[in-house]
Amino acid sequence: MRFLFKTDYDQDIRLAKHGGHVFWYSLLGVALLAAPWLLSEYLLEQLVLVCIYAVAGLGLMLLSGFTGLISLGHAAFLGVGAYTEAVLVGMGWPFPLAMSAAVVLSAATGVVVGLPALRVRGIYLAIATLALGVIVEEVLTRWEDVTGGSAGLMVKSPTLFGAAVPQPVGFYYLCLGILVVATLAVLNLLRSPTGRAFVAVRDSEISSQSMGIHLAKAKTLSFALSAALTGLAGALYAHKLRFLSPEQFTVLQSVELLMMIFIGGLGSVHGVFLGALFLITLPQGIAVAKDWLPPAIGGAAGLQSTVFGLIIVGFVLFEPLGLYGRWVKIRLYLQTFPFYRKGTFRREKTFQKTERQR
Amino acid sequence: MQLLQVLIGGISQGCIYGLIALGFVLIYKATEAVNFAQGELMMLGAFCGLGFSTALGLPYWAVLPCSVLAMGIFGFLTEALVLRPILGQPAFALIMVTIGVGYVARGLITMIPGIGTETHVFEAPFHDEVITLGPLVIGMEQAVIIGASFLLCGGLFALFRYTRVGVAMQAISQNQLAAYYMGIPVKRLNSLVWAISAGMAAVAGVLLAPVTFVHANMGFIGLKAFPAAVIGGFESLPGAIVGGLIIGIVEALAGFYLPEGFKDVAPYVVVLAMLMIRPHGLFGTSMRKRV
Amino acid sequence: MSADDAILSVESLAVAFGGVKAVDDVSFAVRRGEVFTLIGPNGAGKTTVFNLISRLYNPMRGRIVFEGNDITALPAHRVAALGISRTFQNIELFEHATVLQNLLIGRQVHRKTALWEEILFLPKVRRQEYAFREHVEKVIDLLDLQHYRDSHVAGLPYGIRKVVELGRALAMQPRLLLMDEPSSGLNVEETEDMAFWIQDINQDLDITVVMVEHDMSLVSRVSHRVLALNQGAVVTVGTPKDVQSHPGVVEAYLGKAAHA
């Protein structure tokens, strides 16, 4: 067990809390930098996807995990980001400019959703975001002049400083860099007043008001930042896919994003990364497992959706804190071995307390 | 006259939305869980009906109660196995778990070899019959849907109003802990609510099946029932039917008057507008926490 | 009493919920530096008055003036920024955050950094965090919360949560503190501590305290003046002793027969 002797306020403020953090995160950083030499091209492509999903997950986590607002329409922001990027790059805009435009446009869409969201909460908000998701998807399908409709849209390769970003290694570093910057931004936000205000709004709207937090402003801001990050991910996603069609941004995609942060661990930044890793590896795992299963099961079309569903249900029932929560438990078990008490994290049996009035 | 015809089509479609929305509302009122699997329950109900009629050769009128019973048991078990262990968890967990149940239901149906990936015709015996009211022609299928919805809604209303079980359900929808202390078997009633709700989904499924065919993805219609429930207020049973009708009619009119594409988004535009004007729907009440 | 020494004055305040008059024509003035207590039987409208002052409810009639500013139409968060903080009857903490984070949220109204500065975590933001922390540590010292700094609120016993909530209100550095039943749910010892803290807060920190309280021994110990409410209307105002023996107050608590 590690005991921290705190002698300085800075110890609670800085990101790496102790030497262990510095060591392990440096190691992770080195491994990620060396990834192009360590991994096959296919695995590197997957790692790029993990990075992109993690950026989107950071956005959704900020909104759902830290501000407590459930969104069932985040694929819309991903879509807005992706199409903006694709269209602008197609018009010859340089990559950084197009990406900024994608971010701004997504954030603006987020504010638009944030507006009705100010008055509603819980399930009403979930439905409002669902509605937005469907509307955006339909716009992407029907606005054929710009988006190419169902026929799809080709995406040009990104150019940086006048040169094309080499695939896949250059693009990997690009995504990794953006992910690191986005993560730092979110972490900074969370350790400053705005982040605390988000958490306050999540836990009690009444008392956050009485503590001087402007509810409407905090929620709109959370929506805007969340949408901006997801739009950023969308811009990268466009280049990753190289071909966009509206089916990539449906309600199912939104549910997948939600599932990612839930499985990763709601309310933790670590959870975003674990969730993204999980979401990308799961289909691969299923593909591998197919070979071992009898063909009647392995070859069936519904296998993936069944497994996804079972995993969600399993996590809710057995590990509601997600992968990160599980890791915290394992760590505690190891640290306190052999004194870990079985009931340390047991959930209290209770009845449903109403969340209709908050 | 053509407009009236369009309206009737909208009303019958709206009744289906209303039936599914009723399922949402019932479960939400009693247990605070938003059942994202309601559409999938309807899909399962339709497949049940299909199974009873093709495999067992039951007539349509016998298929209906059998499917309702089968789905009722399924709903009861789902609550007991999946929902009950997480009683008292935050809304997010409840939403995720029902989404998960929906995925599993869709996936498992798709995995049934030779059946799951196909689209099946499920004909009702009154398939070709029509009712002619002057110049109006109403398909028997539509008329049955409309009639059944109103019967069900009335039945539910009576159940809540006049039976002991109904009053107990009202009590748990107010405060589960207090209801428990008053000797109401909260957990069993929650399961019962799920059973009723799944039974209603089965009715919707069996009624809708002759109109739209039976396939694994028919549950996505549930996504349109959400706006219906929200417009009605999410906590009001008549609100669910009214909301369903509004959505059905708006959709039909949008399909008739507006260019292609608007039909599919119309329900969502309506629900967004509703949330801006009346955040708690037509029949919902705004409650504030006491501090 | 002149308008100058009143930090808060409430003039003919009225609100009704569904036809029931919860607060009906209530007027009073709180002097700077005093401990002012609202008493009354359940349903007398005490908490409603609090909710009206902290602007969680909208009054139907009347005016609320704080330090010369009319706050009747201000939104809740602006009232906090003016220097009124409060605690709640049933504790409204941020359950999934640590005690330290809860207390830091109390400093929210003193935030001077812009969003972009926070995203970059500029030195300015860091300095602000130090300053916030320094102030919060003072509150922690005052309320003996050192031991719980990094604990999650959700796991703390009721008595401690009550203190944390008081701490959060204090971290705001308010000039007026509204305390809704500070002793409810506390044991004798904890109530004793609470009485000391209320006096400390009032005398050493120069914070005017308005509280709702049922425990009459605590009330008479710490309050300078007491206002008795019954059925939404003022019965009497005066020193704790006078109010306790006022026939209208006795009647409100015990009924007519007991008084006769």
Side-chain angles (χ1 to χ4, degrees), chain B residues 124-200:
Chain B
F126 43 79
H127 177 54
D128 295 321
E129 290 171 42
V130 289
I131 302 173
T132 354
L133 284 174
L136 269 185
V137 182
I138 306 172
M140 195 62 178
E141 286 163 347
Q142 294 179 335
V144 168
I145 289 175
I146 296 172
S149 312
F150 281 90
L151 273 180
L152 264 180
C153 191
L156 273 182
F157 186 75
L159 174 83
F160 266 82
R161 201 56 177 275
Y162 300 114
T163 66
R164 271 178 67 90
V165 175
V167 174
M169 282 178 187
Q170 281 190 40
I172 60 172
S173 80
Q174 298 281 329
N175 186 334
Q176 293 195 345
L177 193 60
Y180 175 73
Y181 286 143
M182 296 310 290
I184 294 171
V186 175
K187 293 179 179 173
R188 218 179 320 144
L189 273 182
N190 279 350
S191 303
L192 190 63
V193 165
W194 269 77
I196 294 175
S197 187
M200 277 185 339

Side-chain angles (χ1 to χ4, degrees), chain C residues 7-8 30-38 50 85 166 170 174-180 182 197-203 205-212 222-225:
Chain C
I7 186 168
L8 175 81
V30 179
R31 292 174 198 149
R32 191 177 292 280
E34 74 176 340
V35 176
F36 187 87
T37 307
L38 306 180
F50 264 34
S85 74
L166 174 61
L170 284 180
R175 288 187 296 287
L176 176 68
L177 174 64
L178 307 174
M179 299 177 81
D180 200 349
W197 281 325
I198 294 173
Q199 284 172 329
D200 281 355
I201 289 164
N202 180 240
Q203 285 156 17
L205 303 180
D206 271 333
I207 295 173
T208 310
V209 177
V210 179
M211 66 175 185
V212 167
V222 301
S223 9
H224 299 106
R225 288 193 309 146

Side-chain angles (χ1 to χ4, degrees), chain A residues 196 199-200 203-204 207 211, chain C residues 91-108 136 149 151-154 156 161 164-165 167-169 171-172:
Chain A
R196 281 197 294 269
V199 172
D203 284 359
S204 167
S207 61
M211 285 291 118
Chain C
I91 305 187
E92 288 285 328
L93 283 170
F94 308 115
E95 295 284 326
H96 303 286
T98 63
V99 169
L100 191 59
Q101 283 169 318
N102 266 277
L103 296 179
L104 282 170
I105 286 168
R107 301 300 294 161
Q108 200 72 26
V136 161
R149 226 181 252 128
S151 318
H152 275 259
V153 169
L156 291 177
R161 289 147 63 98
V164 174
E165 205 190 24
R168 185 181 65 183
M172 221 169 100

Side-chain angles (χ1 to χ4, degrees), chain C residues 87-256:
Chain C
T87 68
F88 295 86
Q89 201 171 347
N90 298 318
I91 305 187
E92 288 285 328
L93 283 170
F94 308 115
E95 295 284 326
H96 303 286
T98 63
V99 169
L100 191 59
Q101 283 169 318
N102 266 277
L103 296 179
L104 282 170
I105 286 168
R107 301 300 294 161
Q108 200 72 26
V109 292
H110 302 280
R111 171 186 175 219
K112 296 216 166 46
T113 47
L115 179 68
W116 68 270
E117 293 170 328
E118 291 176 6
I119 288 177
L120 297 174
F121 215 75
L122 295 184
K124 184 180 170 190
V125 181
R126 194 179 288 267
R127 279 198 301 276
Q128 177 176 270
E129 286 297 304
Y130 289 153
F132 281 4
R133 180 69 188 269
E134 212 164 336
H135 185 81
V136 161
E137 285 299 329
K138 280 184 202 153
V139 174
I140 289 178
D141 275 345
L142 175 73
L143 301 179
D144 282 334
L145 286 170
Q146 295 88 343
H147 190 61
Y148 304 101
R149 226 181 252 128
D150 291 325
S151 318
H152 275 259
V153 169
L156 291 177
Y158 191 87
I160 305 294
R161 289 147 63 98
K162 202 99 194 171
V163 178
V164 174
E165 205 190 24
L166 174 61
R168 185 181 65 183
L170 284 180
M172 221 169 100
Q173 269 180 307
R175 288 187 296 287
L176 176 68
L177 174 64
L178 307 174
M179 299 177 81
D180 200 349
E181 303 200 9
S183 83
S184 75
L186 299 186
N187 63 29
V188 181
E189 213 175 307
E190 289 166 335
T191 310
E192 193 73 7
D193 286 343
M194 190 56 86
F196 277 117
W197 281 325
I198 294 173
Q199 284 172 329
D200 281 355
I201 289 164
N202 180 240
Q203 285 156 17
D204 300 349
L205 303 180
D206 271 333
I207 295 173
T208 310
V209 177
V210 179
M211 66 175 185
V212 167
E213 184 50 63
H214 282 297
D215 182 340
M216 284 315 288
S217 69
L218 174 68
V219 171
S220 23
R221 217 170 111 190
V222 301
S223 9
H224 299 106
R225 288 193 309 146
V226 174
L227 172 96
L229 281 173
N230 190 28
Q231 293 178 349
V234 176
V235 180
T236 182
V237 192
T239 63
K241 215 170 146 197
D242 293 345
V243 170
Q244 257 176 306
S245 54
H246 188 275
V249 176
V250 178
E251 192 187 306
Y253 273 98
L254 303 173
K256 241 189 174 81

Side-chain angles (χ1 to χ4, degrees), chain A residues 112-129:
Chain A
V112 172
V113 201
L115 291 181
L118 301 180
R119 296 187 60 188
V120 299
R121 51 175 79 103
I123 181 61
Y124 294 94
L125 176 62
I127 303 301
T129 51

